[in-house]
Amino acid sequence: MNPYVLTTLLSSLGLGTTLTFASSHWLLAWMGLEINTLAIIPLMAQHHHPRAVEATTKYFLIQATAAAVILFAGTANAWATGEWNMTNMSDPIATTMILAALSLKVGLAPMHFWMPEVLQGLDLLTGLVLSTWQKLAPFALIIQTSQAFDPLLLTTLGLTSTLVGGWGGLNQTQLRKVLAYSSIAHMGWMVIVLQYAPHLTFLALLMYILMTSAAFLTLKLSYATKIGTLATTWSKAPLLTATTALVFLSLGGLPPLTGFMPKWLILQELAKQGLPFTATIMALAALISLYFYLRLCYSMTLTISPNTAASTTPWRTQTTQVSAPLALFTVMALSLLPITPAITALLI
């Protein structure tokens, strides 16, 4: 892609998200979301592959539907209250519609069906942008309007997402689909605690972005898109294989890795709010997710790929890819747990 075009598109991505962050007016927030969607569409379709074009079309239709519902609900709320302000959400139908539309935008279950299919059709770098940056603007709106939402509805969305994210990833062999279901499960963790401690939602989103970035950049460096390919990585880059296995375990939420921090604080908050049953279901759902991360670790580190592999042996040349961002994200995805008190003190 032409560097000028790429710069314009990435600037528009940043502008759209910043607009939504800065807005307290529904029309301005909607405009930011639309700029965001329109900027990522050419990035998704840049390879002109039928799968990429199909994924782009699906993504565009879903995002356009969600944006239309947000605009309609914002208008209905303005009609009922006389103002477009986000903080004044007194119309229950408009509030529920906005939650449904924002859930569709980030891929919360049961509005998650587009997410694995779209992510599967994209290359790893665009998939990374879709899984991390594109979640920021809708989540900013969810956090801003969280007090207006029905607590039961938020709890239902959170539980459904963690369970669907766990079950859906169990029999996947494509790594992008595994990461898509991982994303759905993590969104559930963020939404479940939203009404009690929004700063924990922000913390979980931050940690999710760090760990997912490390996972996507690792897969990009090793050109791996299927579980079968992971079995050949240990002979090419043993150190990278070891850190990748740890990143996957961090995504699963195992101590003493970074991924344990948000899960631990969220379960603690749920218990503090007198919801031990909800906390137990969330912990059990995390175990289901952990199983498919362990599958990835098993195929990477504990299996030796057969010498008579049907696939072409990749060349063992030095890679020309930039590895500094990968190193940074991997370190953060593995070692932030000891400074949990400092991070929570900054967020509160």
Side-chain angles (χ1 to χ4, degrees):
M1 186 179 276
N2 185 315
Y4 296 119
V5 175
L6 187 62
T7 308
T8 309
L9 292 174
L10 291 177
S11 306
S12 301
L13 264 183
L15 173 69
T17 306
T18 312
L19 256 181
T20 308
F21 279 176
S23 62
S24 58
H25 189 288
W26 277 117
L27 205 57
L28 197 62
W30 169 80
M31 202 187 302
L33 292 171
E34 283 297 276
I35 292 170
N36 221 340
T37 303
L38 292 173
I40 201 172
I41 292 292
L43 293 173
M44 292 169 78
Q46 63 180 318
H47 293 297
H48 305 295
H49 189 274
R51 288 299 298 272
V53 174
E54 182 191 336
T56 310
T57 310
K58 285 178 182 171
Y59 183 75
F60 174 73
L61 292 173
I62 293 288
Q63 298 297 313
T65 306
V69 172
I70 287 171
L71 190 58
F72 178 69
T75 312
N77 187 66
W79 183 274
T81 61
E83 56 180 57
W84 284 84
N85 205 327
M86 282 181 197
T87 50
N88 189 10
M89 295 289 295
S90 55
D91 187 18
I93 297 173
T95 309
T96 309
M97 283 174 70
I98 278 176
L99 179 58
L102 290 171
S103 302
L104 182 62
K105 270 197 170 289
V106 294
L108 276 167
M111 282 80 82
H112 66 284
F113 294 100
W114 62 272
M115 182 87 184
E117 297 302 321
V118 167
L119 208 59
Q120 179 57 31
L122 305 176
D123 66 302
L124 289 165
L125 213 52
T126 318
L128 168 62
V129 175
L130 189 74
S131 302
T132 54
W133 186 261
Q134 291 298 95
K135 307 280 187 207
L136 292 175
F139 246 100
L141 295 180
I142 291 174
I143 291 171
Q144 269 181 280
T145 51
S146 60
Q147 298 312 312
F149 298 139
D150 180 14
L152 182 63
L153 193 57
L154 283 174
T155 306
T156 309
L157 278 172
L159 286 172
T160 314
S161 297
T162 42
L163 288 166
V164 165
W167 281 113
L170 284 180
N171 67 341
Q172 299 298 334
T173 56
Q174 297 285 342
L175 295 175
R176 283 166 292 189
K177 281 193 176 178
V178 168
L179 287 168
Y181 281 108
S182 153
S183 171
I184 294 162
H186 278 90
M187 294 297 127
W189 278 91
M190 292 170 215
V191 165
I192 198 92
V193 80
L194 184 60
Q195 55 208 315
Y196 310 113
H199 66 277
L200 286 185
T201 298
F202 181 67
L203 173 73
L205 180 60
L206 204 62
M207 294 307 144
Y208 160 76
I209 288 173
L210 289 179
M211 295 182 295
T212 306
S213 300
F216 268 103
L217 290 171
T218 307
L219 297 179
K220 183 177 174 290
L221 199 72
S222 51
Y223 300 104
T225 52
K226 292 195 282 286
I227 291 184
T229 320
L230 288 179
T232 63
T233 53
W234 68 272
S235 58
K236 289 184 284 178
L239 189 62
L240 184 69
T241 306
T243 56
T244 309
L246 289 173
V247 165
F248 283 132
L249 292 176
S250 184
L251 271 166
L254 276 189
L257 305 167
T258 303
F260 178 61
M261 182 204 305
K263 288 189 167 61
W264 162 40
L265 293 171
I266 289 168
L267 290 175
Q268 188 181 5
E269 184 63 35
L270 289 173
K272 204 187 294 179
Q273 295 291 341
L275 298 164
F277 184 65
T278 309
T280 308
I281 295 174
M282 294 297 284
L284 291 173
L287 282 179
I288 305 172
S289 295
L290 184 61
Y291 174 77
F292 65 73
Y293 294 122
L294 282 170
R295 261 182 76 204
L296 299 181
C297 295
Y298 172 77
S299 58
M300 279 190 85
T301 55
L302 296 174
T303 56
I304 296 177
S305 183
N307 295 328
T308 54
S311 58
T312 317
T313 309
W315 287 96
R316 308 286 169 84
T317 51
Q318 282 293 104
T319 179
T320 53
Q321 295 185 60
V322 182
S323 55
L326 169 61
L328 179 68
F329 282 119
T330 302
V331 168
M332 287 196 287
L334 301 184
S335 57
L336 289 185
L337 187 65
I339 58 165
T340 303
I343 294 170
T344 47
L346 279 173
L347 290 174
I348 295 171

PDB file of all heavy atoms in Angstrom, residues 111-126:
ATOM      1  N   MET A 111     -23.916 -11.422  20.391  1.00  0.00           N
ATOM      2  CA  MET A 111     -23.738 -10.701  19.118  1.00  0.00           C
ATOM      3  C   MET A 111     -22.311 -10.891  18.607  1.00  0.00           C
ATOM      4  O   MET A 111     -21.706  -9.960  18.074  1.00  0.00           O
ATOM      5  CB  MET A 111     -24.019  -9.199  19.316  1.00  0.00           C
ATOM      6  CG  MET A 111     -25.479  -8.850  19.386  1.00  0.00           C
ATOM      7  SD  MET A 111     -26.201  -9.172  20.983  1.00  0.00           S
ATOM      8  CE  MET A 111     -25.731  -7.750  21.890  1.00  0.00           C
ATOM      9  N   HIS A 112     -21.781 -12.083  18.776  1.00  0.00           N
ATOM     10  CA  HIS A 112     -20.350 -12.317  18.511  1.00  0.00           C
ATOM     11  C   HIS A 112     -20.090 -13.068  17.215  1.00  0.00           C
ATOM     12  O   HIS A 112     -18.927 -13.241  16.843  1.00  0.00           O
ATOM     13  CB  HIS A 112     -19.789 -13.181  19.643  1.00  0.00           C
ATOM     14  CG  HIS A 112     -20.371 -14.560  19.653  1.00  0.00           C
ATOM     15  ND1 HIS A 112     -21.637 -14.815  20.115  1.00  0.00           N
ATOM     16  CD2 HIS A 112     -19.881 -15.750  19.212  1.00  0.00           C
ATOM     17  CE1 HIS A 112     -21.899 -16.100  19.967  1.00  0.00           C
ATOM     18  NE2 HIS A 112     -20.857 -16.692  19.425  1.00  0.00           N
ATOM     19  N   PHE A 113     -21.132 -13.518  16.524  1.00  0.00           N
ATOM     20  CA  PHE A 113     -20.943 -14.492  15.438  1.00  0.00           C
ATOM     21  C   PHE A 113     -20.055 -13.995  14.302  1.00  0.00           C
ATOM     22  O   PHE A 113     -19.412 -14.783  13.623  1.00  0.00           O
ATOM     23  CB  PHE A 113     -22.313 -14.934  14.880  1.00  0.00           C
ATOM     24  CG  PHE A 113     -23.127 -15.700  15.869  1.00  0.00           C
ATOM     25  CD1 PHE A 113     -24.138 -15.085  16.583  1.00  0.00           C
ATOM     26  CD2 PHE A 113     -22.864 -17.039  16.112  1.00  0.00           C
ATOM     27  CE1 PHE A 113     -24.883 -15.789  17.517  1.00  0.00           C
ATOM     28  CE2 PHE A 113     -23.605 -17.751  17.041  1.00  0.00           C
ATOM     29  CZ  PHE A 113     -24.617 -17.125  17.747  1.00  0.00           C
ATOM     30  N   TRP A 114     -20.009 -12.673  14.098  1.00  0.00           N
ATOM     31  CA  TRP A 114     -19.194 -12.127  13.006  1.00  0.00           C
ATOM     32  C   TRP A 114     -17.704 -12.177  13.312  1.00  0.00           C
ATOM     33  O   TRP A 114     -16.880 -12.266  12.409  1.00  0.00           O
ATOM     34  CB  TRP A 114     -19.606 -10.678  12.720  1.00  0.00           C
ATOM     35  CG  TRP A 114     -19.388  -9.745  13.864  1.00  0.00           C
ATOM     36  CD1 TRP A 114     -20.267  -9.480  14.879  1.00  0.00           C
ATOM     37  CD2 TRP A 114     -18.222  -8.964  14.135  1.00  0.00           C
ATOM     38  NE1 TRP A 114     -19.727  -8.576  15.760  1.00  0.00           N
ATOM     39  CE2 TRP A 114     -18.485  -8.244  15.340  1.00  0.00           C
ATOM     40  CE3 TRP A 114     -16.989  -8.793  13.504  1.00  0.00           C
ATOM     41  CZ2 TRP A 114     -17.553  -7.366  15.902  1.00  0.00           C
ATOM     42  CZ3 TRP A 114     -16.072  -7.923  14.067  1.00  0.00           C
ATOM     43  CH2 TRP A 114     -16.348  -7.221  15.251  1.00  0.00           C
ATOM     44  N   MET A 115     -17.357 -12.139  14.593  1.00  0.00           N
ATOM     45  CA  MET A 115     -15.962 -11.910  15.007  1.00  0.00           C
ATOM     46  C   MET A 115     -14.976 -12.992  14.510  1.00  0.00           C
ATOM     47  O   MET A 115     -13.985 -12.669  13.856  1.00  0.00           O
ATOM     48  CB  MET A 115     -15.924 -11.779  16.534  1.00  0.00           C
ATOM     49  CG  MET A 115     -14.574 -11.498  17.103  1.00  0.00           C
ATOM     50  SD  MET A 115     -14.223  -9.750  17.132  1.00  0.00           S
ATOM     51  CE  MET A 115     -12.557  -9.770  17.726  1.00  0.00           C
ATOM     52  N   PRO A 116     -15.216 -14.295  14.788  1.00  0.00           N
ATOM     53  CA  PRO A 116     -14.241 -15.303  14.316  1.00  0.00           C
ATOM     54  C   PRO A 116     -14.122 -15.335  12.793  1.00  0.00           C
ATOM     55  O   PRO A 116     -13.022 -15.469  12.250  1.00  0.00           O
ATOM     56  CB  PRO A 116     -14.816 -16.631  14.845  1.00  0.00           C
ATOM     57  CG  PRO A 116     -15.729 -16.238  15.955  1.00  0.00           C
ATOM     58  CD  PRO A 116     -16.281 -14.899  15.588  1.00  0.00           C
ATOM     59  N   GLU A 117     -15.264 -15.184  12.101  1.00  0.00           N
ATOM     60  CA  GLU A 117     -15.250 -15.259  10.629  1.00  0.00           C
ATOM     61  C   GLU A 117     -14.477 -14.103  10.014  1.00  0.00           C
ATOM     62  O   GLU A 117     -13.708 -14.280   9.075  1.00  0.00           O
ATOM     63  CB  GLU A 117     -16.696 -15.252  10.101  1.00  0.00           C
ATOM     64  CG  GLU A 117     -17.520 -16.450  10.530  1.00  0.00           C
ATOM     65  CD  GLU A 117     -16.898 -17.767  10.107  1.00  0.00           C
ATOM     66  OE1 GLU A 117     -16.362 -17.836   8.979  1.00  0.00           O
ATOM     67  OE2 GLU A 117     -16.933 -18.718  10.907  1.00  0.00           O
ATOM     68  N   VAL A 118     -14.693 -12.909  10.558  1.00  0.00           N
ATOM     69  CA  VAL A 118     -14.003 -11.725  10.017  1.00  0.00           C
ATOM     70  C   VAL A 118     -12.507 -11.815  10.302  1.00  0.00           C
ATOM     71  O   VAL A 118     -11.674 -11.585   9.422  1.00  0.00           O
ATOM     72  CB  VAL A 118     -14.610 -10.431  10.623  1.00  0.00           C
ATOM     73  CG1 VAL A 118     -13.722  -9.227  10.329  1.00  0.00           C
ATOM     74  CG2 VAL A 118     -15.997 -10.193  10.063  1.00  0.00           C
ATOM     75  N   LEU A 119     -12.150 -12.190  11.528  1.00  0.00           N
ATOM     76  CA  LEU A 119     -10.733 -12.253  11.906  1.00  0.00           C
ATOM     77  C   LEU A 119      -9.990 -13.313  11.091  1.00  0.00           C
ATOM     78  O   LEU A 119      -8.828 -13.131  10.730  1.00  0.00           O
ATOM     79  CB  LEU A 119     -10.611 -12.556  13.406  1.00  0.00           C
ATOM     80  CG  LEU A 119      -9.357 -12.017  14.098  1.00  0.00           C
ATOM     81  CD1 LEU A 119      -9.275 -10.513  13.966  1.00  0.00           C
ATOM     82  CD2 LEU A 119      -9.350 -12.396  15.561  1.00  0.00           C
ATOM     83  N   GLN A 120     -10.683 -14.410  10.773  1.00  0.00           N
ATOM     84  CA  GLN A 120     -10.070 -15.493  10.001  1.00  0.00           C
ATOM     85  C   GLN A 120      -9.705 -15.043   8.589  1.00  0.00           C
ATOM     86  O   GLN A 120      -8.757 -15.530   7.998  1.00  0.00           O
ATOM     87  CB  GLN A 120     -11.039 -16.685   9.968  1.00  0.00           C
ATOM     88  CG  GLN A 120     -10.571 -17.889   9.197  1.00  0.00           C
ATOM     89  CD  GLN A 120      -9.249 -18.441   9.691  1.00  0.00           C
ATOM     90  OE1 GLN A 120      -8.919 -18.350  10.859  1.00  0.00           O
ATOM     91  NE2 GLN A 120      -8.485 -19.002   8.783  1.00  0.00           N
ATOM     92  N   GLY A 121     -10.446 -14.078   8.043  1.00  0.00           N
ATOM     93  CA  GLY A 121     -10.193 -13.640   6.666  1.00  0.00           C
ATOM     94  C   GLY A 121      -9.105 -12.590   6.531  1.00  0.00           C
ATOM     95  O   GLY A 121      -8.760 -12.194   5.422  1.00  0.00           O
ATOM     96  N   LEU A 122      -8.565 -12.113   7.668  1.00  0.00           N
ATOM     97  CA  LEU A 122      -7.592 -11.012   7.616  1.00  0.00           C
ATOM     98  C   LEU A 122      -6.170 -11.495   7.863  1.00  0.00           C
ATOM     99  O   LEU A 122      -5.966 -12.571   8.427  1.00  0.00           O
ATOM    100  CB  LEU A 122      -7.934  -9.972   8.696  1.00  0.00           C
ATOM    101  CG  LEU A 122      -9.354  -9.396   8.668  1.00  0.00           C
ATOM    102  CD1 LEU A 122      -9.557  -8.464   9.834  1.00  0.00           C
ATOM    103  CD2 LEU A 122      -9.610  -8.672   7.360  1.00  0.00           C
ATOM    104  N   ASP A 123      -5.188 -10.688   7.466  1.00  0.00           N
ATOM    105  CA  ASP A 123      -3.807 -11.007   7.830  1.00  0.00           C
ATOM    106  C   ASP A 123      -3.596 -10.639   9.302  1.00  0.00           C
ATOM    107  O   ASP A 123      -4.418  -9.941   9.909  1.00  0.00           O
ATOM    108  CB  ASP A 123      -2.815 -10.262   6.930  1.00  0.00           C
ATOM    109  CG  ASP A 123      -2.869  -8.765   7.137  1.00  0.00           C
ATOM    110  OD1 ASP A 123      -3.957  -8.211   6.950  1.00  0.00           O
ATOM    111  OD2 ASP A 123      -1.851  -8.144   7.492  1.00  0.00           O
ATOM    112  N   LEU A 124      -2.489 -11.111   9.870  1.00  0.00           N
ATOM    113  CA  LEU A 124      -2.299 -11.005  11.326  1.00  0.00           C
ATOM    114  C   LEU A 124      -2.196  -9.570  11.830  1.00  0.00           C
ATOM    115  O   LEU A 124      -2.687  -9.250  12.914  1.00  0.00           O
ATOM    116  CB  LEU A 124      -1.063 -11.813  11.745  1.00  0.00           C
ATOM    117  CG  LEU A 124      -1.261 -13.336  11.653  1.00  0.00           C
ATOM    118  CD1 LEU A 124       0.073 -14.060  11.715  1.00  0.00           C
ATOM    119  CD2 LEU A 124      -2.182 -13.840  12.758  1.00  0.00           C
ATOM    120  N   LEU A 125      -1.574  -8.692  11.039  1.00  0.00           N
ATOM    121  CA  LEU A 125      -1.398  -7.307  11.502  1.00  0.00           C
ATOM    122  C   LEU A 125      -2.729  -6.549  11.540  1.00  0.00           C
ATOM    123  O   LEU A 125      -3.036  -5.845  12.503  1.00  0.00           O
ATOM    124  CB  LEU A 125      -0.388  -6.585  10.604  1.00  0.00           C
ATOM    125  CG  LEU A 125       0.489  -5.536  11.285  1.00  0.00           C
ATOM    126  CD1 LEU A 125       1.175  -6.116  12.516  1.00  0.00           C
ATOM    127  CD2 LEU A 125       1.523  -4.988  10.318  1.00  0.00           C
ATOM    128  N   THR A 126      -3.542  -6.727  10.479  1.00  0.00           N
ATOM    129  CA  THR A 126      -4.864  -6.087  10.470  1.00  0.00           C
ATOM    130  C   THR A 126      -5.747  -6.719  11.545  1.00  0.00           C
ATOM    131  O   THR A 126      -6.544  -6.037  12.188  1.00  0.00           O
ATOM    132  CB  THR A 126      -5.543  -6.235   9.089  1.00  0.00           C
ATOM    133  OG1 THR A 126      -4.581  -6.011   8.078  1.00  0.00           O
ATOM    134  CG2 THR A 126      -6.670  -5.256   8.929  1.00  0.00           C
TER     135      THR A 126
END
